[in-house]
Amino acid sequence: HKDKHFQRAFDKFKEVYSEKDKTFKGKAVRYACKYLIRIGLGDPQIVADFLYEYSDRLNKVQVADYLAMGDQTDTFHTEVRSCYMEKIDLSQIDFAKAFRIFVSNSGFHVGGLEAQRLNRMSECFADVYLRDNPDCEIHDTYGADALAQSLLFIHTVKFNKANDPKSGGPRLPSV
């Protein structure tokens, strides 16, 4: 039953994603999730299940954008984020490698998110990492989040094509 509706939501994603209007196209994942909500499948767990199960076929930046929507007062998106994060396992992986897996291989891609949304995803990583590695050297979410944000900054600087000296970008010091 749920699979049939997930396929229809994915079809909605494809329909919107094929639009020529970039503003409309950029919200294809949102439209797919709104479809699920409109037909009565708006439980945060169901929406998270859809995003996770179809993550290999959805636009990964849009998935990250949807997961990072809403602040602490937005209980729906907070619960969707939480349900999605429960599906990610970073057990027995060192912090830096776990962070790379989280930002690039967990069904979403955080590149291009605005600062507040990046912060929400960084906090999610900290929570998931500490949940899965309770005996690690980092003992609180604040420390894990601060380290994750530092890694995100380094990753962004290192892989941003605008920073490539060969492309006219600034020459950055070696790390």
Side-chain angles (χ1 to χ4, degrees):
H1 177 73
K2 187 170 75 168
D3 292 337
K4 175 179 73 171
H5 293 297
F6 279 11
Q7 183 58 48
R8 286 187 183 148
F10 178 67
D11 291 342
K12 185 70 170 167
F13 164 80
K14 288 191 305 189
E15 175 188 324
V16 174
Y17 198 70
S18 66
E19 290 288 326
K20 290 185 182 4
D21 180 352
K22 287 185 179 185
T23 304
F24 194 57
K25 180 179 182 171
K27 297 180 181 178
V29 167
R30 288 186 201 181
Y31 282 98
C33 293
K34 283 181 182 180
Y35 167 79
L36 291 173
I37 294 165
R38 194 177 74 242
I39 64 167
L41 296 175
D43 179 76
Q45 182 66 59
I46 292 173
V47 173
D49 288 348
F50 167 71
L51 292 171
Y52 190 80
E53 290 175 27
Y54 278 76
S55 64
D56 61 330
R57 293 178 263 177
L58 298 171
N59 178 290
K60 292 183 183 324
V61 173
Q62 289 184 27
V63 172
D65 189 57
Y66 191 85
L67 288 171
M69 288 175 72
D71 59 17
Q72 299 88 337
T73 63
D74 181 346
T75 56
F76 177 76
H77 286 99
T78 300
E79 288 180 36
V80 169
R81 231 181 348 267
S82 178
C83 292
Y84 191 98
M85 296 306 145
E86 299 230 350
K87 299 172 181 308
I88 298 172
D89 182 9
L90 300 174
S91 301
Q92 306 299 313
I93 303 172
D94 74 74
F95 192 88
K97 184 174 182 179
F99 185 74
R100 283 192 304 274
I101 290 168
F102 183 83
V103 298
S104 63
N105 207 19
S106 295
F108 54 84
H109 180 69
V110 298
L113 292 183
E114 64 181 36
Q116 286 181 332
R117 292 183 183 196
L118 275 172
N119 287 342
R120 286 186 203 111
M121 296 305 284
S122 178
E123 289 170 8
C124 288
F125 167 76
D127 291 338
V128 170
Y129 188 79
L130 292 175
R131 176 199 71 204
D132 292 349
N133 298 284
D135 297 327
C136 73
E137 298 83 26
I138 304 166
H139 301 289
D140 62 17
T141 305
Y142 178 78
D145 182 37
L147 186 54
Q149 291 206 21
S150 298
L151 286 174
L152 185 62
F153 176 75
I154 291 167
H155 178 81
T156 302
V157 169
K158 181 172 175 136
F159 294 104
N160 186 338
K161 288 181 181 23
N163 292 330
D164 184 0
K166 294 174 190 168
S167 302
R171 187 171 294 290
L172 299 172
S174 301
V175 180

